[in-house]
């Protein structure tokens, strides 16, 4: 079974080609796309940023799942019946608390393994691999943090808002500590598509990787 993972270096919207590809996979079943996000005031007005590009390519139904106010069993039921899963951005540690460290994580993993596309924006991208490496610019302690991720892919570590946060040092630190084989620094308004865990496509401003100690741009 092919597995489809879309990782974005900033917040929504989807980039155009990534939206088209995600939608093509989600439309196979015709079920709603589940959108998981840490709740904040006025979240309803923000949801079109996640949905509008998918709507352009035919996706019409969405389940909005604010956390932690939505009961876990409701989230799991939505995820298990979804045609696609979108994980939003915000405080990465809260996303790890409310998704990775709960039974929701297993439901997401099962759907991903069944071929349902998963997309993560910023924090959602960071929690998707086996290791979630959190930049000092992304937590109140201003320190490098490493947490368990969803494990949708292994041997991958990512950094988000890469150029905007000037986060090469963080990516180097993550690579040295996590010992992951593949690493990607992803700019805002930029997405990467991993097919069965392997880099298949990129779109947007910039995707970078450290290889033999040197930072190089991939797109």
């Amino acid at each position: 079974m092919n597995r489809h993972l879309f990782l974005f270096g900033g917040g929504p919207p989807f980039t155009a080609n990534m939206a088209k590809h995600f939608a093509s996979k989600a439309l196979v079943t015709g079920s709603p796309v589940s959108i998981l996000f840490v709740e904040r005031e006025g979240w309803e007005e923000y949801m079109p940023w996640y949905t509008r590009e998918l709507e352009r390519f035919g996706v019409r139904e969405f389940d909005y799942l604010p956390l932690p106010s939505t009961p876990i069993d409701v989230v799991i039921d939505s995820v298990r019946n979804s045609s696609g899963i979108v994980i939003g951005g915000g405080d990465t540690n809260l996303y790890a608390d409310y998704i990775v460290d709960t039974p929701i994580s297993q439901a997401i993993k099962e759907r991903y393994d069944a071929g349902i596309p998963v997309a993560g924006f910023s924090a959602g991208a960071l929690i998707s691999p086996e290791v979630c490496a959190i930049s000092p610019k992304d937590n109140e302690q201003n320190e490098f943090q490493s947490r368990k991720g969803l494990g949708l892919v292994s041997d991958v570590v990512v950094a988000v808002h890469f150029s905007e946060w000037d986060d090469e040092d963080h990516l180097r630190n993550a690579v040295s500590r996590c010992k992951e084989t593949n690493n990607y620094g992803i700019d805002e308004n930029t997405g990467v598509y991993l097919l069965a865990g392997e880099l298949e496509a990129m779109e947007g401003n910039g995707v970078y990787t450290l290889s033999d100690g040197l930072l190089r741009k991939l797109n």
Side-chain angles (χ1 to χ4, degrees):
M1 178 67 69
N2 283 333
R3 290 163 291 137
H4 311 280
L5 183 61
F6 300 78
L7 303 178
F8 293 90
F14 279 80
T15 57
N17 288 331
M18 296 290 178
K20 182 178 182 179
H21 194 51
F22 183 100
S24 72
K25 302 302 179 187
L27 288 169
V28 171
T29 68
S31 303
V33 169
S34 297
I35 303 179
L36 290 74
F37 56 96
V38 171
E39 189 169 8
R40 63 183 183 183
E41 186 176 354
W43 64 263
E44 295 92 343
E45 298 176 4
Y46 195 65
M47 288 301 102
W49 286 90
Y50 288 104
T51 64
R52 67 186 187 193
E53 290 300 313
L54 297 180
E55 289 172 332
R56 283 183 58 211
F57 297 105
V59 179
R60 295 288 180 263
E61 293 187 68
F62 301 91
D63 281 345
Y64 303 112
L65 303 167
L67 300 169
S69 61
T70 306
I72 287 178
D73 60 337
V74 173
V75 178
I76 290 174
D77 184 65
S78 174
V79 166
R80 286 179 172 165
N81 291 285
S82 66
S83 65
I85 300 165
V86 176
I87 306 173
D91 185 316
T92 303
N93 275 301
L94 290 181
Y95 275 85
D97 290 343
Y98 298 150
I99 297 177
V100 178
D101 295 345
T102 74
I104 296 169
S105 61
Q106 184 59 34
I108 294 173
K109 184 73 159 52
E110 289 171 0
R111 293 303 280 158
Y112 172 74
D113 287 340
I116 295 300
V118 176
F121 289 88
S122 188
L126 291 176
I127 68 170
S128 293
E130 199 166 54
V131 174
C132 171
I134 304 175
S135 168
K137 298 173 183 176
D138 190 21
N139 63 82
E140 293 181 354
Q141 293 73 32
N142 302 120
E143 63 185 17
F144 175 88
Q145 296 177 350
S146 177
R147 296 187 60 162
K148 177 185 176 183
L150 289 169
L152 304 185
V153 288
S154 57
D155 295 326
V156 172
V157 66
V158 298
V160 296
H161 306 282
F162 187 69
S163 294
E164 292 77 12
W165 285 0
D166 191 21
D167 239 1
E168 179 179 340
D169 287 346
H170 165 62
L171 184 60
R172 290 186 179 277
N173 199 11
V175 169
S176 67
R177 294 189 186 210
C178 300
K179 307 300 182 186
E180 304 303 319
T181 303
N182 301 301
N183 63 87
Y184 306 109
I186 312 170
D187 288 348
E188 295 173 7
N189 303 308
T190 303
V192 301
Y193 167 53
L194 303 179
L195 175 61
E198 300 295 329
L199 182 63
E200 182 75 8
M202 299 170 282
E203 183 179 27
N205 294 338
V207 180
Y208 303 83
T209 191
L210 286 167
S211 179
D212 296 324
L214 299 176
L215 183 71
R216 61 188 181 94
K217 189 176 182 183
L218 294 177
N219 68 332

